[in-house]
């Protein structure tokens, strides 16, 4: 089992592949914002149960106001903005291209880390960004009749995908700050299990705030009736539950396990293979025609992501 961490990392990529696919199905069936509310409410319940079993409390104990503030900001940027863009991106251009554009998250995290935390941006990070962008460009650009480059996908879907990548990357940095404040708030005499379960408690805080954010947006649009309609839609609810299991529950849990058993750089690179894995179900199940240029673009983009972690 010397490669246990690498195996788990691949399972994370597979889990997130299913998550993206079910997110697309659920959003088309019951709406993207309703799907997000259900997903985050269910994730909160699952995470609360996990905390109750492991630390004896279904609530993120020891989290102070600073931790809540930063994790709430992370939820608003990463979940409410980022996932709103991502799920609507799926509706516009599909989960395959949506996941490809999500490879923008590491470059966006690097820029946010520089802006928020004062982290340095090396020439290697710049090169990795360029390679990632080149891979995306290969996939979404094509030659028109006059031999000029043009977009092969709707501009709206591309902009939503870019927004999703920005939200994911910036939300990750804000989450990192929030978890640091959380760690500082844990007293020295606290049980060791508190530190182990802190990522789950932090994710629960983000899920609570994210669910509240989407409910607020639904209320503004007078769309709360969509929750009632969703409860009467067995197919949509089934996809939403599966999305929750493969996303916030299995995906997050396995990703935390992966970095415990494997080098973080290798684990992060393997977990970023979702755009590769999603090609197969898109081709076999959804009968999408996959062009060689699109596969090349995915591989180049993944190479750019790998450079972020391995250089």
């Amino acid at each position: 089992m010397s490669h246990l961490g690498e195996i788990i990392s691949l399972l994370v990529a597979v889990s997130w592949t299913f998550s993206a696919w079910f997110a697309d199905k659920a959003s088309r069936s019951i709406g993207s914002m309703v799907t997000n509310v259900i997903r985050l409410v269910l994730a909160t319940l699952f995470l609360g149960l996990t905390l109750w079993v492991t630390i004896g409390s279904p609530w993120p104990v020891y989290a102070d106001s600073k931790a809540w503030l930063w994790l709430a900001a992370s939820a608003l940027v990463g979940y409410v903005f980022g996932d709103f863009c991502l799920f609507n991106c799926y509706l516009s251009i599909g989960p395959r291209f949506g996941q490809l554009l999500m490879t923008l998250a590491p470059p966006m995290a690097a820029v946010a880390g520089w802006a928020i935390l004062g982290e340095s941006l090396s020439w290697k990070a710049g090169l990795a960004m360029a390679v990632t962008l080149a891979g995306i460009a290969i996939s979404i650009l094509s030659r028109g009749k006059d031999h000029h480059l043009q977009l092969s996908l709707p501009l709206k879907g591309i902009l939503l995908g870019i927004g999703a990548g920005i939200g994911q990357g910036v939300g990750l940095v804000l989450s990192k700050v929030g978890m640091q404040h959380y760690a500082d708030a844990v007293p020295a005499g606290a049980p060791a299990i508190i530190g182990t379960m802190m990522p789950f408690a932090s994710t629960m805080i983000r899920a609570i705030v994210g669910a509240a954010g989407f409910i607020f947006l639904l209320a503004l649009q007078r769309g709360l009736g969509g929750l009632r309609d969703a409860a009467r839609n067995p197919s949509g609810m089934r996809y939403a539950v599966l999305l929750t299991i493969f996303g916030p529950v299995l995906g997050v849990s396995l990703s935390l396990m992966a970095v415990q058993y494997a080098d973080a750089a290798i684990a992060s690179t393997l977990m970023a293979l979702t755009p590769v894995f999603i090609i197969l179900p898109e081709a076999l199940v959804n009968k999408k025609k996959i062009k060689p240029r699109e596969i090349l673009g995915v591989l180049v983009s993944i190479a750019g992501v790998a450079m972020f972690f391995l250089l």
Side-chain angles (χ1 to χ4, degrees), residues 183-195:
D184 293 341
V186 176
I193 189 65
I194 297 295

Side-chain angles (χ1 to χ4, degrees), residues 6-296:
E6 287 82 355
I7 294 171
I8 295 174
S9 298
L10 290 172
L11 290 176
V12 171
V14 173
S15 180
W16 284 340
T17 298
F18 281 109
S19 175
W21 200 67
F22 290 133
D24 176 51
K25 296 293 185 182
S27 296
R28 294 181 187 279
S29 181
I30 58 179
S32 62
M33 282 206 287
V34 170
T35 296
N36 271 296
V37 171
I38 295 171
R39 173 183 71 114
L40 292 173
V41 168
L42 289 177
T44 299
L45 296 176
F46 280 128
L47 290 165
L49 179 60
T50 301
L51 293 177
W52 196 5
V53 170
T54 54
I55 66 175
S57 171
W59 191 250
V61 294
Y62 301 122
D64 63 4
S65 58
K66 289 184 178 180
W68 271 88
L69 179 63
W70 282 96
L71 289 169
S74 167
L76 293 175
V77 173
Y79 283 159
V80 179
F81 173 74
D83 284 353
F84 172 84
C85 289
L86 180 62
F87 282 41
N88 282 283
C89 171
Y90 290 160
L91 294 176
S92 178
I93 59 178
R96 176 163 54 93
F97 287 107
Q99 282 297 308
L100 171 64
L101 288 164
M102 283 295 285
T103 59
L104 286 171
M108 294 302 103
V111 173
W114 167 75
I116 298 172
L117 302 178
E119 297 175 347
S120 61
L121 272 177
S122 66
W123 67 268
K124 294 178 181 179
L127 177 61
M129 289 183 195
V131 173
T132 302
L133 291 171
I136 293 173
I138 290 171
S139 291
I140 67 174
L141 294 177
S142 61
R143 286 189 177 276
K145 294 180 180 180
D146 54 357
H147 300 291
H148 291 302
L149 290 177
Q150 63 182 21
L151 293 175
S152 58
L153 298 171
L155 178 60
K156 175 184 176 182
I158 294 173
L159 292 177
L160 286 168
I162 293 172
I166 293 173
Q168 177 78 9
V170 177
L172 179 64
V173 174
L174 295 173
S175 179
K176 179 179 178 179
V177 177
M179 287 184 64
Q180 184 58 57
H181 283 295
Y182 196 159
D184 293 341
V186 176
I193 189 65
I194 297 295
T196 303
M197 299 306 296
M198 190 174 63
F200 293 90
S202 299
T203 302
M204 183 178 178
I205 293 173
R206 297 182 74 220
I208 292 170
V209 175
F214 277 112
I215 291 173
F216 177 72
L217 290 178
L218 274 176
L220 286 180
Q221 296 182 357
R222 298 183 179 180
L224 291 176
L227 294 172
R228 182 180 61 251
D229 296 337
R232 300 171 181 169
N233 187 328
S235 175
M237 287 298 295
R238 182 169 62 252
Y239 285 128
V241 171
L242 289 170
L243 161 64
T244 306
I245 292 172
F246 282 98
V249 179
L250 278 179
V252 171
S253 302
L254 289 175
S255 66
L256 295 173
M257 291 177 61
V259 295
Q260 288 180 323
Y261 293 102
D263 180 81
I266 295 175
S268 298
T269 301
L270 293 174
M271 287 188 285
L273 289 174
T274 300
V276 176
F277 290 156
I278 207 169
I279 290 175
L280 186 61
E282 280 284 273
L284 296 181
V285 180
N286 290 340
K287 307 299 182 182
K288 300 287 187 180
K289 184 178 180 181
I290 313 297
K291 300 177 181 178
R293 170 175 54 81
E294 295 169 355
I295 297 176
L296 174 62

